[in-house]
Amino acid sequence: MSAFDKRVEDFFAHYQDRGMLKWEGFFLSDHREQLAKARKTDAAPAFKPEMMSQEEAANALYLACFSEKQVKVVLSQVDSEGHFKTATGRVSTDQEGGILIGQQKLDLDEIVQVIVL
């Protein structure tokens, strides 16, 4: 047996397989992004707000305005990931009688749900 053969035999006699760790290098960044996206969508179910009538939303905003409480308003608009857009802040009105949540002007027909914080 040559010195090389002896060396190879010693290597494999003491070699411990690391399992899947050695295959980690074969994952492309695209694979990692898709796996992360799949985990994110599986982990967080889509939020489906309870729809309020315009009258209920207006009453909730009115009460929050005069009790000076902050609100979180769920809007009818959906972002690119399928989540409903929200606005958070104190309720006030502008000079035209529009609804202001923080600094964002909203119409009553855009509001799906009002959560008083």
Side-chain angles (χ1 to χ4, degrees):
M1 183 184 283
S2 71
F4 177 76
D5 291 336
K6 172 89 171 110
R7 196 173 214 185
V8 170
E9 191 174 293
D10 285 344
F11 173 79
F12 284 111
H14 297 52
Y15 176 74
Q16 289 187 344
D17 189 357
R18 298 176 303 175
M20 289 303 292
L21 293 177
K22 66 183 176 184
W23 300 107
E24 190 78 22
F26 288 103
F27 269 77
L28 299 173
S29 61
D30 294 342
H31 295 139
R32 291 181 201 280
E33 288 173 12
Q34 286 178 342
L35 287 172
K37 194 173 191 179
R39 276 190 222 111
K40 186 176 180 182
T41 56
D42 290 345
F47 171 69
K48 303 236 187 251
E50 183 179 317
M51 303 289 279
M52 295 178 97
S53 69
Q54 285 189 353
E55 185 178 330
E56 291 173 319
N59 287 337
L61 291 170
Y62 177 79
L63 291 173
C65 181
F66 287 101
S67 61
E68 297 184 6
K69 293 189 176 183
Q70 283 199 341
V71 294
K72 178 178 181 181
V73 176
V74 180
L75 305 174
S76 58
Q77 302 153 353
V78 179
D79 66 11
S80 61
E81 293 181 4
H83 300 108
F84 285 90
K85 292 185 178 182
T86 62
T88 305
R90 295 201 189 280
V91 182
S92 60
T93 58
D94 64 4
Q95 292 177 351
E96 294 96 38
I99 301 166
L100 291 173
I101 308 295
Q103 299 296 319
Q104 188 173 355
K105 183 175 180 177
L106 302 172
D107 291 325
L108 193 56
D109 60 345
E110 293 179 274
I111 298 173
V112 174
Q113 184 182 37
V114 178
I115 303 165
V116 179
L117 303 176

